[in-house]
Amino acid sequence: MLGKTANGLFWMYRYLERAENTARLIETGQRIALTRLGDSDEEWRSVLLSAGVWPGYEQYKGELTKEGAIDWLLRSKNNPSSVRACIGTARMNARLVRTALTGEVWESVNAAYMNAEKILARQVSERDLPGCLRTLRQHTALVRGMTHGTMLREANYEFSRLGTFLERADNTGRILDVKYYVLLPSARAVGSALDNVQWESILRSVAARGGFRMGHSSDAGPREITHFLILDQRLPRSLAFCAHRLQDNLKRLNSGRGKPTDSMKLVDMLLRKYLTHEVEAIFEYGLHEFIQEILGLLGDLTAQIQIDYRFYE
Amino acid sequence: MTDTKFFDEMWGFEENLREPYEKFHDWFKQEDMSRLRAKQREAEDLFRLTGITFNVYGRAEAEERLIPFDIIPRIISGTEWFRLSRGIEQRVRAINAFLHDIYHKQEIIKAGRIPAEMIAANEAFLPQMIGVEPPGGVYTHIVGIDLVRTGAGEFYVLEDNARTPSGVSYMLENRETMLQMFPELFSRNRVQPVQNYPTSLRRSLGATVPVNGTANDGEPVVAVLTPGIFNSAYFEHAFLADQMGVELVEGHDLRVVDGRVAMRTIRGYTPIDVLYRRVDDDFLDPLNFRPDSQLGVPGIMDVYRAGGITIANAPGTGIADDKAIYSYMPDIVEFYTGERPLLNNVPTWRCSNPDDLAYVLDNLSELVVKEVHGSGGYGMLVGPAATKKDIAEFRKKLEARPSNYIAQPTLSLSTVPTFTRAGLSPRHVDLRPFVLVSPNDINVTPGGLTRVALKKGSLVVNSSQGGGTKDTWVLEE
């Protein structure tokens, strides 16, 4: 397998995952705006921050409005992380690695692109927004399903999964980073309506609201949510879940090849040092610092994978 | 239904249904136009989804376009095909023998059949290839021979493509699309399959491993070299690599390691035995050819000459499909095979010759004039279809550089009924059969790519000039 192909697969799946996460963030933001609790503009700022696109927004658009934020996240060509740009980049990478994809995977990416170009050609009205986001999420889910159902379990597959889980962990990490103050046990009077909305928004942005309710009592609060998003290995978007998958993928890539690679050592360290504690220890350490360090490690891991598997040279 | 001036593949000259179309026509009579129209749209959606597109050159943003596909097939009888394929084989054998001779003893020049300056002064001639023995003795692993028909038994070779002929992916996808849309047609007609092409291609490439190739007697390592994602034929490059199950590489994935050309894999560098390159000679090796090329591999020519890699097609094959050499093809075929050519050449005026030039200048409005090294339908004049202004402008170019041009009579290309807004109308077609050459045999895929000029009356079938394609059927006997 070519280094270039590993690179293309890695980024194709990162961008697909990012498209899906951004669509989910928009959904959450819109929902909070509609419930009209708290400062809705402030909520859009935190959505833009979570998506990592606030600096670009400030530079290009300036004033923060709901329409502006949604358009920037959904379809702006000036925002490389907009859903539309992400799907476009994913598809370009798919073309680059066409030979490493099954026909079904390629067609599902291409269909996602063609449909996204169609429904995002014009600004999306508030009325059409829910349907539009649903369609976009279904498209990315279809690519994931095709990948799961048709790709050989060999290096190609491992790189596609590495891209997916690195992006997902990064996304969950950034949501936590932007909202960490809401989760600090002492920040506010626990159980206020505003807190409930905020917590719910966090859970929604990682598609975990239902799952959380099932497993926790009704008075569960920030402690449980923090545990759920960082340490719970049942939640497919928790940091621990993603890190374990990364560990599995790297291990399989290296099986029968002797010494662990540097990227394997990094992910082992990430798990050992950060994701085996009780949630109290995390609060004690400082939630903000903790998340910052994890985000830094995820960046290092990406760089190390690129070196270990000769993405560029 | 047809213009009586031209031969129609379905109706001949006289509105008599031709035999290869009989079963098709039985089916067609029962169909209604609105269903077919819907099928035509369905075909386009299918192509778009599969991503069978080409990139258009010369645009600010590389734009992906579909080559229009027409659902009415071009049908050739088994007998007709048998004759054609023998002629094609003969021609391709002669081309390979000619290339070997030109880069070794040049006996054809010594015999006075071709003037020495046709070779020496030709920019497609590569001095770097003199004395080089290509692995397996094969110069042109893949050849496309462009044929046109002007009457019932009259076929002409319009040009030979011995460098990197393209279009085979459309041949394969057109068939795939027809199978999906009209399965019933294929149970009524026994159509010879084309789907083996990728397997045969890989086998025939693998049959020419270099002397210093795969040391451990393993499966030869084959790869396809593409100029990259923005190349107009990128889809085809990816398609062929995928269908063969080999890597698709770009210049920056490759480097010379220990006397071999090797590709950068996730585990280090792996040597390649056979490189099916879709990069032109000029760009293949910045150390030996154009120094500004980013598309090639520095040093690959030295590895090639030392027997470390097979390049398919071999560098320097352009000397055989050059349009000025074309006019000598009947001599070339006779010289190397000792047989009379089975396929006709179009009479050709070489503008380098003063008498020919004078004739061409006097008859510009009747002739087709082409650049010697042109392709893709660019830089040519179709006299009867040109305006006075076009002709006047072309005359200046021709007078300035006569040796850059050849001229041919305007042929009455045959037509095939084709979907248009107004229903079915005849449109002119050509045919590019694809030929695979290995040290053991020459393999002509039954049929090939039929290109169709979609504009009424147009004779230019190139996709860059508004041409489309059709599925091509060769019936079993």
Side-chain angles (χ1 to χ4, degrees):
Chain A
M1 178 187 196
L2 298 176
K4 173 188 70 185
T5 308
N7 188 12
L9 282 166
F10 181 85
W11 286 103
M12 167 188 161
Y13 282 89
R14 269 200 92 144
Y15 274 103
L16 277 172
E17 183 69 23
R18 188 172 301 176
E20 181 174 328
N21 291 334
T22 304
R24 224 184 282 285
L25 280 171
I26 299 170
E27 240 163 10
T28 313
Q30 173 70 350
R31 201 177 160 81
I32 293 208
L34 293 179
T35 54
R36 303 202 186 287
L37 278 165
D39 181 350
S40 131
D41 281 357
E42 197 39 51
E43 192 53 41
W44 282 111
R45 186 192 316 277
S46 89
V47 167
L48 291 164
L49 279 166
S50 301
V53 299
W54 170 246
Y57 183 88
E58 255 193 319
Q59 190 194 333
Y60 276 94
K61 296 240 175 178
E63 197 198 349
L64 182 63
T65 64
K66 176 174 130 182
E67 288 74 25
I70 292 179
D71 201 55
W72 183 254
L73 288 161
L74 196 54
R75 49 183 293 280
S76 174
K77 283 190 168 165
N78 295 320
N79 171 15
S81 289
S82 72
V83 176
R84 181 186 186 182
C86 284
I87 292 178
T89 310
R91 193 253 190 183
M92 194 191 75
N93 276 291
R95 278 191 82 206
L96 274 169
V97 301
R98 175 65 190 82
T99 55
L101 301 173
T102 60
E104 273 123 306
V105 171
W106 158 252
E107 282 178 21
S108 61
V109 180
N110 200 29
Y113 168 78
M114 291 190 299
N115 214 354
E117 284 296 303
K118 199 162 75 191
I119 63 182
L120 299 179
R122 248 166 259 119
Q123 186 152 6
V124 179
S125 73
E126 192 158 21
R127 191 177 56 180
D128 294 336
L129 187 63
C132 164
L133 292 169
R134 193 161 46 236
T135 307
L136 292 168
R137 274 197 288 104
Q138 281 170 352
H139 271 299
T140 56
L142 189 59
V143 181
R144 192 163 52 233
M146 290 295 187
T147 305
H148 187 76
T150 65
M151 268 172 68
L152 291 187
R153 295 307 192 262
E154 54 179 7
N156 289 349
Y157 184 76
E158 307 302 342
F159 285 107
S160 74
R161 301 305 274 168
L162 285 172
T164 303
F165 288 115
L166 260 167
E167 181 65 27
R168 191 180 288 176
D170 189 63
N171 178 67
T172 302
R174 272 186 289 111
I175 289 170
L176 283 165
D177 194 39
V178 171
K179 293 281 189 177
Y180 80 95
Y181 59 91
V182 177
L183 294 169
L184 294 181
S186 59
R188 283 172 214 256
V190 173
S192 77
L194 181 59
D195 281 341
N196 275 322
V197 169
Q198 290 283 8
W199 297 341
E200 197 177 297
S201 92
I202 294 175
L203 289 167
R204 275 184 191 277
S205 13
V206 296
R209 197 181 60 104
F212 185 75
R213 292 272 169 268
M214 290 289 283
H216 297 85
S217 74
S218 59
D219 53 345
R223 185 190 167 282
E224 288 79 10
I225 295 176
T226 309
H227 177 271
F228 196 50
L229 261 61
I230 297 179
L231 300 169
D232 197 319
Q233 287 198 45
R234 296 169 306 166
L235 173 64
R237 294 178 176 273
S238 78
L239 294 178
F241 182 95
C242 294
H244 276 285
R245 294 295 84 71
L246 291 169
Q247 188 181 44
D248 296 344
N249 295 130
L250 287 170
K251 221 185 269 174
R252 274 200 297 273
L253 263 178
N254 202 48
S255 77
R257 291 176 188 277
K259 285 200 313 201
T261 58
D262 289 346
S263 33
M264 283 171 79
K265 288 181 203 154
L266 254 179
V267 82
D268 288 348
M269 191 268 275
L270 171 67
L271 274 164
R272 201 180 52 244
K273 193 166 163 199
Y274 291 89
L275 300 171
T276 47
H277 302 285
E278 291 298 314
V279 69
E280 278 74 19
I282 295 175
F283 282 122
E284 213 165 285
Y285 186 81
L287 181 57
H288 182 58
E289 293 72 16
F290 176 86
I291 297 294
Q292 284 284 326
E293 285 171 32
I294 289 190
L295 287 172
L297 271 176
L298 291 171
D300 295 346
L301 184 56
T302 298
Q304 193 57 48
I305 290 172
Q306 291 176 353
I307 294 168
D308 286 352
Y309 293 101
R310 299 166 165 272
F311 282 14
Y312 300 104
E313 53 188 336
Chain B
M1 181 173 220
T2 59
D3 188 335
T4 43
K5 219 178 110 196
F6 299 104
F7 180 85
D8 190 83
E9 302 283 340
M10 189 157 164
W11 299 104
F13 282 116
E14 309 286 344
E15 300 288 315
N16 293 327
L17 184 65
R18 292 184 63 240
E19 189 243 316
Y21 275 91
E22 275 169 8
K23 286 187 180 141
F24 176 82
H25 191 253
D26 287 344
W27 170 86
F28 185 75
K29 277 189 311 208
Q30 314 285 326
E31 289 291 310
D32 73 50
M33 283 304 266
S34 63
R35 185 181 107 99
L36 288 179
R37 218 173 274 286
K39 284 282 182 186
Q40 180 72 50
R41 275 194 302 274
E42 197 187 312
E44 269 162 39
D45 290 345
L46 219 54
F47 273 83
R48 224 172 257 289
L49 183 64
T50 329
I52 310 171
T53 54
F54 71 106
N55 302 326
V56 185
Y57 281 127
R59 304 206 167 229
E61 209 170 319
E63 184 191 342
E64 292 168 40
R65 277 214 229 146
L66 286 185
I67 294 190
F69 171 70
D70 184 80
I71 58 175
I72 310 294
R74 192 253 188 87
I75 310 179
I76 301 169
S77 77
T79 340
E80 246 170 17
W81 178 253
F82 179 72
R83 279 183 39 224
L84 277 180
S85 61
R86 277 182 52 226
I88 294 168
E89 247 187 83
Q90 180 196 49
R91 193 158 172 119
V92 169
R93 204 175 315 118
I95 286 175
N96 269 280
F98 169 69
L99 284 164
H100 191 272
D101 185 30
I102 284 305
Y103 287 116
H104 293 84
K105 295 181 176 159
Q106 302 205 333
E107 278 167 358
I108 195 164
I109 295 175
K110 287 174 197 152
R113 303 289 285 266
I114 288 188
E117 69 270 16
M118 283 307 303
I119 305 297
N122 196 316
E123 57 190 72
F125 178 74
L126 285 191
Q128 290 91 336
M129 284 297 291
I130 294 173
V132 175
E133 201 58 49
V138 179
Y139 281 88
T140 59
H141 303 73
I142 302 106
V143 188
I145 304 282
D146 289 356
L147 298 170
V148 296
R149 182 209 282 255
T150 55
E154 285 169 74
F155 284 91
Y156 288 90
V157 176
L158 204 56
E159 60 185 63
D160 305 288
N161 296 277
R163 302 175 205 211
T164 50
S166 64
V168 76
S169 57
Y170 297 98
M171 169 185 90
L172 294 165
E173 287 291 354
N174 287 353
R175 176 63 52 82
E176 211 50 55
T177 302
M178 288 296 279
L179 280 168
Q180 280 194 39
M181 291 205 311
F182 303 109
E184 73 273 20
L185 267 175
F186 291 88
S187 27
R188 288 174 181 230
N189 288 279
R190 310 290 303 157
V191 179
Q192 297 191 27
V194 295
Q195 281 89 342
N196 291 334
Y197 181 86
T199 315
S200 309
L201 174 60
R202 181 167 176 179
R203 191 175 301 137
S204 107
L205 291 169
T208 57
V209 280
V211 192
N212 301 317
T214 315
N216 52 3
D217 295 326
E219 177 81 2
V221 179
V222 177
V224 177
L225 175 65
T226 173
I229 194 165
F230 296 113
N231 183 267
S232 66
Y234 177 78
F235 161 75
E236 175 155 304
H237 307 159
F239 176 88
L240 287 173
D242 184 42
Q243 295 285 310
M244 285 195 285
V246 305
E247 294 290 1
L248 176 67
V249 297
E250 291 174 47
H252 58 79
D253 297 315
L254 306 179
R255 70 160 65 145
V256 175
V257 181
D258 299 332
R260 302 288 310 274
V261 173
M263 55 186 169
R264 192 183 75 249
T265 76
I266 56 171
R267 321 269 183 217
Y269 279 86
T270 304
I272 295 172
D273 296 307
V274 184
L275 190 62
Y276 175 20
R277 50 85 179 227
R278 297 291 297 256
V279 167
D280 293 343
D281 286 353
D282 275 358
F283 295 93
L284 202 49
D285 183 349
L287 293 182
N288 282 281
F289 307 116
R290 277 179 67 150
D292 60 338
S293 170
Q294 305 279 314
L295 307 176
V297 189
I300 189 175
M301 270 310 280
D302 306 312
V303 176
Y304 178 68
R305 278 193 296 251
I309 191 166
T310 301
I311 300 175
N313 289 349
T317 54
I319 191 71
D321 72 6
D322 171 274
K323 291 191 181 66
I325 293 291
Y326 166 87
S327 57
Y328 295 94
M329 276 308 288
D331 296 300
I332 290 173
V333 171
E334 231 178 275
F335 188 78
Y336 297 107
T337 65
E339 301 159 4
R340 281 177 45 77
L342 299 171
L343 293 174
N344 300 320
N345 235 41
V346 184
T348 302
W349 291 276
R350 305 170 191 130
C351 302
S352 54
N353 173 330
D355 292 345
D356 284 15
L357 178 63
Y359 178 85
V360 171
L361 287 171
D362 284 347
N363 295 279
L364 275 180
S365 63
E366 316 271 298
L367 300 172
V368 176
V369 191
K370 299 175 181 173
E371 281 185 21
V372 174
H373 295 290
S375 70
Y378 290 106
M380 66 189 271
L381 175 82
V382 180
T387 63
K388 282 204 168 116
K389 191 166 155 264
D390 292 341
I391 292 181
E393 276 170 18
F394 207 89
R395 179 185 299 278
K396 277 187 219 145
K397 286 200 269 180
L398 182 53
E399 282 167 340
R401 268 187 84 191
S403 66
N404 195 37
Y405 296 92
I406 54 133
Q408 294 170 338
T410 309
L411 294 178
S412 309
L413 267 56
S414 65
T415 56
V416 178
T418 299
F419 248 90
T420 66
R421 247 180 235 146
L424 285 194
S425 302
R427 289 291 182 268
H428 295 289
V429 296
D430 78 350
L431 174 65
R432 175 178 291 181
F434 293 94
V435 190
L436 295 173
V437 183
S438 83
N440 322 312
D441 61 351
I442 293 178
N443 180 341
V444 191
T445 304
L449 180 65
T450 293
R451 299 187 296 178
V452 51
L454 293 172
K455 252 188 284 168
K456 189 171 186 202
S458 168
L459 295 168
V460 184
V461 297
N462 302 80
S463 56
S464 47
Q465 314 278 308
T469 67
K470 283 169 171 290
D471 191 16
T472 309
W473 297 1
V474 173
L475 301 181
E476 300 270 8
E477 271 315 281

